[in-house]
Amino acid sequence: MAYGGVILSNSLSFYQKRIVMSSRVQEKNGGASIPHVLSVAGSDSGAGAGIQADLKTCAARGVYCSTVITAVTAQNTVGVQSVHAVPEDFVAQQLKSVLSDMQVDVVKSGMLPSVGVVKVLLQSLAEFSVRALVVDPVMVSTSGDVLAGPSILSTFREELLPMADIVTPNIKEASALLGGIRLETVADMRTAAELLHALGPRNVLVKGGDLPGSLDAVDIFFNGEHFYELRSSRIKTHNTHGTGCTLASCIAAELAKGSPMLTAVRVAKRYVETALEYSKDILIGNGIQGPFDHLLRLKSGSHSFHRKDAFTPSDLFLYAVTDSGMNKKWGRSMVDAVAEAIQGGATIVQLREKDVETRDFLETAKSCLAVCRSHGVPLLINDRIDVALASDADGVHVGQSDMPATVARTLLGPEKIIGVSCKTIEQAQQAWIGGADYIGSGGVYSTTTKANNPTIGLDGLKTVCSASKLPVVAIGGINASNAGTVMGMGVPNLKGVAVVSALFDREDVLAETKKLHALLMEASSSSKMQ
């Protein structure tokens, strides 16, 4: 097989060939690529599942989503009242329209209402190459409504599944695909995953959300060699409509961004869990199964904005971390110290209070927030999400022993900034999965402000920066003597330095901040010229 002058060995898997072909198209287009998922699915008039869920999921994960509608349903929170299949030739026209013009990375299929539509999809994939195919074998909705008849089961098994990079059935769908076998235990799910894998998909995820008697939400992932048992807390809520569509489209979105399959599955499961937890008490419709909020914005007050602009990596450039003991030593208030730091060029402020009463911490936070807001500078609270919520600060910074980023994101909503301290690649990866906006990596040098904090040095900082999917601010022991060295490294994702004593353990905070800002500007400019 040849493509663009490159011979593709027949020993390559179908998936590997698609990756090579996609990369050739990307090279032809100058290397620029926006992650793109094409959802081939049914439309849900209630907007909880189907095409609408896929669009919202991809938007939440930062991926472009185009659509091919295979059926139009009349449905709401009560159930599905009617299904109108889109003619097969029009489905084919939609597929050609999108695939002939746009560089699609991943196709995600949902409701395919007829054998003809399945064949149309397969013909399009043979003509237009994509990197991966995610198959969500939608046959029965979560509420129990039948969306696809048994006539297409053999086509699924014999033609669609062998083309899939992952198939994501729930236990009812897995049972139907396997001739009606009973799935009542986790062991049954493992058996089903293995049997489904034998039908041809490269990966299988059997979803156990409806598994009877299970205290956890257990999914089984099987890649042909290893089983992975993915567990999460079972969230008590009626707002579960569209969870299957959402999980599959999130997997597709993460694959489009370049994530490995298992990572994409883990991110998707965490994303669904977070959205369900956030949405468990919202009320939309009068039925027994409501939708959930993919964008984490619908709760009262969560949509209000106070800063003019959203968080950007440049906010990390000169990251000022306060210390009340140092300010007391020099006879100034926390508010005065923050104001001087901002006037001198601090681009973000973290309020760090370890030994004060919560009431005093909250009052200080509110006063500092007023100063920060007047200058358009974000104010973060160190560790204390309760104080951040009560003061309406712009976000929090948490350490490895504090609340996980995914929980912080659920509590704070999507607008707030979340930073996580990380020393390793693994911690940085987990911060990204959990929904953090940035990571603080260090200590780069030894410091007196945090006891028992092992240093990672410049080499450790480089390693984390190079592997991180998030912007990085260097932390730990940074001052005027070494900040230029840190910023001048020019490593990917390093956006700034965080300082404590270099600013606040000085008599003149304003002058020290100005000096450090100028030094960082010079080092940053020099690294860009190299």
Side-chain angles (χ1 to χ4, degrees), residues 105-149:
D105 295 298
V106 179
V107 169
K108 177 259 177 181
S109 70
M111 181 181 175
L112 304 176
S114 69
V115 170
V117 168
V118 176
K119 292 184 179 292
V120 163
L121 173 60
L122 293 174
Q123 289 166 3
S124 296
L125 291 175
E127 182 178 357
F128 301 100
S129 293
V130 298
R131 291 179 58 191
L133 171 63
V134 176
V135 173
D136 183 24
V138 176
M139 289 173 279
V140 182
S141 73
T142 311
S143 56
D145 296 290
V146 176
L147 300 176

Side-chain angles (χ1 to χ4, degrees), residues 3 20-32 103 129:
Y3 183 83
V20 173
M21 296 173 77
S22 179
S23 67
R24 298 303 173 200
V25 173
Q26 184 173 330
E27 290 173 6
K28 182 179 178 181
N29 292 336
Q103 181 54 42
S129 293

Side-chain angles (χ1 to χ4, degrees), residues 245-296:
C245 304
T246 299
L247 184 74
S249 56
C250 188
I251 291 171
E254 298 307 316
L255 292 176
K257 291 191 285 189
S259 294
M261 184 64 74
L262 181 57
T263 299
V265 170
R266 290 184 184 277
V267 171
K269 185 170 176 65
R270 183 73 61 84
Y271 169 70
V272 172
E273 180 186 6
T274 300
L276 286 174
E277 175 66 32
Y278 176 83
S279 310
K280 63 183 179 182
D281 297 322
I282 65 174
L283 181 61
I284 297 175
N286 299 306
I288 61 172
Q289 188 187 47
F292 56 93
D293 181 11
H294 294 75
L295 300 177
L296 312 182

Side-chain angles (χ1 to χ4, degrees), residues 35 45 51 59 127 132 138 151 155 220 245 323 337 450 461-462 464 513:
S45 57
I51 287 288
E127 182 178 357
V138 176
S151 61
T155 306
I220 297 297
C245 304
D323 187 291
K450 193 168 185 179
L461 177 63
K462 289 179 183 178
V464 173
T513 310

Side-chain angles (χ1 to χ4, degrees), residues 452-475:
N452 302 317
N453 184 31
T455 60
I456 63 173
L458 293 177
D459 288 339
L461 177 63
K462 289 179 183 178
T463 299
V464 173
C465 286
S466 298
S468 176
K469 297 179 184 295
L470 295 171
V472 180
V473 59
I475 59 178

Side-chain angles (χ1 to χ4, degrees), residues 1 44 58 71 81 361 368 411 445 449 479 484 491 500 515 530:
M1 180 179 179
D44 174 3
C58 288
Q81 290 81 49
F361 193 178
C368 290
L411 293 172
Y445 304 105
T449 60
N479 52 47
V491 295
V500 187
K515 182 167 63 177
Q530 293 176 359

Side-chain angles (χ1 to χ4, degrees), residues 167-299:
V167 59
T168 63
N170 59 35
I171 57 175
K172 294 177 183 177
E173 292 159 347
S175 175
L177 287 168
L178 294 172
I181 67 171
R182 296 173 67 87
L183 302 179
E184 298 178 339
T185 66
V186 173
D188 293 340
M189 292 171 62
R190 284 175 171 255
T191 300
E194 194 167 18
L195 291 172
L196 287 169
H197 188 270
L199 296 176
R202 275 147 293 287
N203 301 274
V204 177
L205 180 70
V206 178
K207 301 173 296 189
D210 296 325
L211 192 68
S214 175
L215 297 177
D216 295 329
V218 185
D219 299 335
I220 297 297
F221 176 78
F222 182 56
N223 60 11
E225 295 182 4
H226 304 288
F227 288 97
Y228 296 86
E229 190 172 300
L230 309 177
R231 289 181 175 267
S232 61
S233 300
R234 188 175 291 278
I235 298 166
K236 294 181 179 179
T237 177
H238 294 297
N239 298 324
T240 57
H241 183 51
T243 49
C245 304
T246 299
L247 184 74
S249 56
C250 188
I251 291 171
E254 298 307 316
L255 292 176
K257 291 191 285 189
S259 294
M261 184 64 74
L262 181 57
T263 299
V265 170
R266 290 184 184 277
V267 171
K269 185 170 176 65
R270 183 73 61 84
Y271 169 70
V272 172
E273 180 186 6
T274 300
L276 286 174
E277 175 66 32
Y278 176 83
S279 310
K280 63 183 179 182
D281 297 322
I282 65 174
L283 181 61
I284 297 175
N286 299 306
I288 61 172
Q289 188 187 47
F292 56 93
D293 181 11
H294 294 75
L295 300 177
L296 312 182
R297 296 176 65 94
L298 294 179
K299 284 188 176 180

